[in-house]
Amino acid sequence: MAGSAHRVRWGFRAARCGWATMLALLGIGLAGALASAAAFPDPPLDLLVVDARIWTGQAEQPWAEAMGVRQGRIVWVGAKPEPLPAAQRTLAGAQRLIVPGFYDAHVHLVGAGLGLARVQLKDAADAAEFAKRLREFDARLPRDRWLLGGRWDHDRTFGGELPTAAQLDAIVPHRPVFLHRYDGHSGVANSQALKLANITAETPNPPGGEIVRGPDGRTPTGVLRNNAKALVEKLIPPPDAEEIAEALTAAMQEVRAAGVTSVEDMDGSSPSVRRRHFALLQQFERQDRLTCRVSLRWPLSDHAELSRLGVTFPFGSDFVRIGGLKGYADGSLGSSSARMFAPYVHEPSQRGVWVTPPGRMETLIEEADASGLNITVHCIGDEANAVLLDLYAGAAVKNRPRDRRFRIEHAQILRREDYSRFAAGKVIASMQPYHIIDDGRWAEGRIGRERCAAGYACRPLPDAGAVLASVSDWPVAPLRPLQGIGAAVHRRTLDGAHPLGWIPEQKITVAEALRAYTWGSAFAAGVERVQGTLAPGFLADFVLLDRNVLDPSEVDRIAATKVLVTVVGGRVVFERP
């Protein structure tokens, strides 16, 4: 698909791409074009890459050894020219691997950046370590602040038992505390926070949410699931512009070090924070402070805000765009709130929740789609995924034919009969490979082996013809594309219990995983005509790695591979010392 699209675009990009593309149009081979470089009075290149193993991502020309960049775009890629053209800077690859910049089409930039300065609890080995970290962080925090953060994992820290307000009270009783589970779909509050939110035994569950209660069936334990979190979250003071700027700066530092050159920001903040965030992104672009390309998504429920402005997909510049809309169908598997056809194994009375009821979701999708806006929806459970595929199909019939790029975020637990429906409806599966090796520790205890075996379907979805986009969901999971690629290839769970891979028949190859993290995510974002592969006219976004992950001898060291250099728009934004 990518190769045919490249051929169609040669004519459109001739003026911008220079002599190499023009000669390609005239039928002259790329090697011949490069050999004739000295005959053309082009200005010096901004960046010349030589002596590298360049994986272009193009089916018709997968490998090259040199590349020229001017004004932020690739002007040629192929054999090493002799003599070398003049360049402002030369990057010698020393025969190391260069790949297209990783495109992470699902992150939460502000949340991740803020979280870097908050308490970290995900890898707390036990309750004692959990308490120790909270006490130490509390001692450093100004007395008038809420204690926030967490990303706790009750399967790791508490043996599967949920934390409680009473536990937090014993550690931090003097200030409000609200700590999110690492998937973001549950949080635990201490008694002071519950009191501020007026959450009592008489408080009803809000639509799409649950106040977890004690053995008496009435008393809140402190854990709030999905929409119930808002009862506390609305009381937390929002970050100001300075805090958001600091969060963005910290997040971008992590992004460029990971070799990520573009992100889709799923946000999730309040309207006021989102508007500040969008304004700061534009300000950072004007000030040349952005070191990655950012596409910001608006909440699906607020689609009218964009529709009134006439925004259609995709909107913006090469560096800052509005990528469309993001909605929520259900909760998460870890919080036992993903919407399932059958009950949970460990909670027979629970089938999960609809964060957005199907009737309301149908209206939102049809209205937003009719306005020309792109839509992606979070779906974890098998029922949520099946229902959303129905709603997408209905909207496509009702509204005018067009290239919609409908997406499902996570597409995690599926029925086998739904694999082919992704391809039939041209629905992109935006999946997080890291969740395979993380969830594989406990998922069978939630929903059983059979449903797990049909889910996390990295292999059958592309085999059925669907486009697979691999993403991180940072900070829910680490921002490490190479770890994600290793997870998709090996499927070895973090607890070491599956050395040959959890549900090994779902494994994919290194090349397939790499393509999903580059071209697949660019396609999901609607920018595959200029990103995701390395070709003339494309944005010069790429990374230099310290080992060739495509070499079979390196297959067991994918996750240990380091990013040496990250280049965005022909500018080196990260170099490992």
Side-chain angles (χ1 to χ4, degrees):
M1 186 183 298
S4 63
H6 296 166
R7 288 190 290 273
V8 170
R9 289 190 301 277
W10 287 118
F12 293 109
R13 304 208 177 274
R16 201 181 319 182
C17 300
W19 54 267
T21 304
M22 289 299 295
L23 291 174
L25 281 168
L26 295 172
I28 300 174
L30 185 59
L34 293 176
S36 305
F40 289 82
D42 282 336
L45 296 169
D46 297 327
L47 179 65
L48 173 65
V49 180
V50 294
D51 301 326
R53 290 280 292 161
I54 302 175
W55 184 78
T56 67
Q58 300 181 80
E60 67 271 30
Q61 184 194 350
W63 292 100
E65 62 178 352
M67 183 163 50
V69 175
R70 185 181 294 115
Q71 295 182 349
R73 293 184 181 256
I74 298 168
V75 293
W76 53 261
V77 58
K80 182 178 179 180
E82 295 292 347
L84 291 176
Q88 299 290 337
R89 177 171 180 174
T90 298
L91 175 63
Q95 297 305 308
R96 296 184 189 272
L97 181 67
I98 284 178
V99 298
F102 297 118
Y103 198 129
D104 196 329
H106 187 135
V107 302
H108 304 268
L109 274 186
V110 172
L114 291 171
L116 293 170
R118 292 174 174 172
V119 66
Q120 305 293 322
L121 299 169
K122 186 177 189 296
D123 60 348
D126 51 31
E129 177 65 19
F130 181 93
K132 179 175 179 288
R133 294 188 189 185
L134 275 181
R135 287 193 185 98
E136 290 176 349
F137 192 85
D138 174 59
R140 300 192 301 268
L141 194 65
R143 300 290 290 184
D144 61 340
R145 301 277 185 87
W146 284 60
L147 200 161
L148 305 169
R151 299 289 169 188
W152 47 269
D153 177 356
H154 63 292
D155 291 284
R156 185 196 305 266
T157 305
F158 302 110
E161 297 294 324
L162 290 168
T164 65
Q167 283 176 288
L168 298 186
D169 293 344
I171 305 166
V172 186
H174 51 271
R175 72 166 87 237
V177 177
F178 191 61
L179 305 172
H180 282 93
R181 188 180 185 273
Y182 72 89
D183 61 4
H185 287 267
S186 293
V188 60
N190 70 350
S191 294
Q192 191 170 145
L194 292 175
K195 183 177 180 180
L196 289 171
N198 197 29
I199 297 174
T200 68
E202 284 69 43
T203 307
N205 289 333
E210 180 190 2
I211 300 169
V212 178
R213 303 177 193 271
D216 63 2
R218 298 181 68 250
T219 305
T221 66
V223 172
L224 308 173
R225 287 173 171 162
N226 295 293
N227 290 351
K229 295 188 293 97
L231 300 173
V232 169
E233 288 172 333
K234 66 184 180 182
L235 304 175
I236 298 171
D240 58 25
E242 183 178 355
E243 289 176 287
I244 297 171
E246 290 173 354
L248 280 176
T249 300
M252 283 191 294
Q253 183 175 342
E254 298 290 319
V255 166
R256 59 181 177 262
V260 174
T261 57
S262 295
V263 299
E264 276 207 88
D265 188 353
M266 298 295 168
D267 192 42
S269 56
S270 67
S272 62
V273 171
R274 183 167 55 255
R275 285 191 288 269
R276 289 175 188 159
H277 177 24
F278 187 42
L280 279 167
L281 287 173
Q282 296 172 83
Q283 178 183 320
F284 275 31
E285 180 182 15
R286 291 191 298 270
Q287 296 171 344
D288 202 26
R289 294 170 61 188
L290 279 182
T291 55
C292 70
R293 307 180 194 279
V294 181
S295 179
L296 181 63
R297 288 208 168 235
W298 241 246
L300 176 59
S301 57
D302 293 342
H303 71 86
E305 185 176 355
L306 298 182
S307 299
R308 283 193 296 270
L309 297 174
V311 173
T312 56
F313 170 74
F315 172 83
S317 70
D318 286 336
F319 264 95
V320 178
R321 293 188 298 112
I322 295 177
L325 305 161
K326 197 284 183 88
Y328 286 88
D330 63 345
S332 73
L333 196 65
S335 293
S336 302
S337 55
R339 184 69 184 185
M340 307 296 298
F341 279 111
Y344 283 81
V345 172
H346 70 309
E347 293 185 62
S349 63
Q350 178 68 264
R351 286 177 50 209
V353 301
W354 291 111
V355 173
T356 307
R360 173 63 175 156
M361 181 67 77
E362 180 178 28
T363 299
L364 291 171
I365 288 173
E366 289 181 355
E367 291 177 351
D369 179 63
S371 298
L373 292 164
N374 175 256
I375 302 165
T376 189
V377 176
H378 162 114
C379 282
I380 300 286
D382 53 9
E383 185 178 7
N385 278 282
V387 168
L388 185 63
L389 288 168
D390 290 339
L391 298 184
Y392 277 163
V397 170
K398 182 174 182 178
N399 297 327
R400 65 188 186 282
R402 66 181 178 89
D403 184 6
R404 290 176 160 79
R405 306 287 170 98
F406 279 150
R407 281 165 61 178
I408 295 181
E409 296 303 311
H410 310 297
Q412 198 161 297
I413 308 301
L414 304 173
R415 300 178 303 178
R416 288 180 172 84
E417 59 262 38
D418 288 330
Y419 296 158
S420 61
R421 297 178 65 201
F422 279 80
K426 298 182 179 179
V427 178
I428 299 159
S430 177
M431 301 180 71
Q432 295 71 36
Y434 181 86
H435 291 351
I436 298 166
I437 61 174
D438 196 0
D439 296 7
R441 297 175 295 129
W442 46 257
E444 291 183 37
R446 301 284 203 283
I447 59 172
R449 175 73 179 184
E450 178 57 30
R451 283 185 284 185
C452 285
Y456 304 89
C458 293
R459 175 80 277 154
L461 282 170
D463 284 353
V467 172
L468 181 66
S470 286
V471 301
S472 72
D473 200 4
W474 184 53
V476 173
L479 182 78
R480 292 181 56 194
L482 290 157
Q483 186 179 32
I485 290 170
V489 171
H490 298 300
R491 301 178 70 96
R492 297 168 182 156
T493 54
L494 297 175
D495 58 5
H498 300 86
L500 300 180
W502 181 54
I503 314 174
E505 62 271 21
Q506 296 273 20
K507 292 179 180 180
I508 60 176
T509 68
V510 179
E512 288 171 325
L514 184 56
R515 179 172 169 80
Y517 255 110
T518 52
W519 180 85
S521 290
F523 182 86
V527 294
E528 81 285 357
R529 295 185 177 185
V530 291
Q531 291 179 254
T533 52
L534 301 177
F538 276 50
L539 296 169
D541 301 347
F542 54 89
V543 292
L544 175 69
L545 306 178
D546 75 338
R547 59 170 53 94
N548 184 354
V549 295
L550 289 159
D551 185 333
S553 68
E554 299 283 8
V555 72
D556 285 322
R557 292 182 283 184
I558 297 170
T561 301
K562 292 182 175 62
V563 172
L564 298 179
V565 178
T566 303
V567 177
V568 178
R571 178 165 65 106
V572 174
V573 298
F574 172 79
E575 287 185 88
R576 187 172 297 278

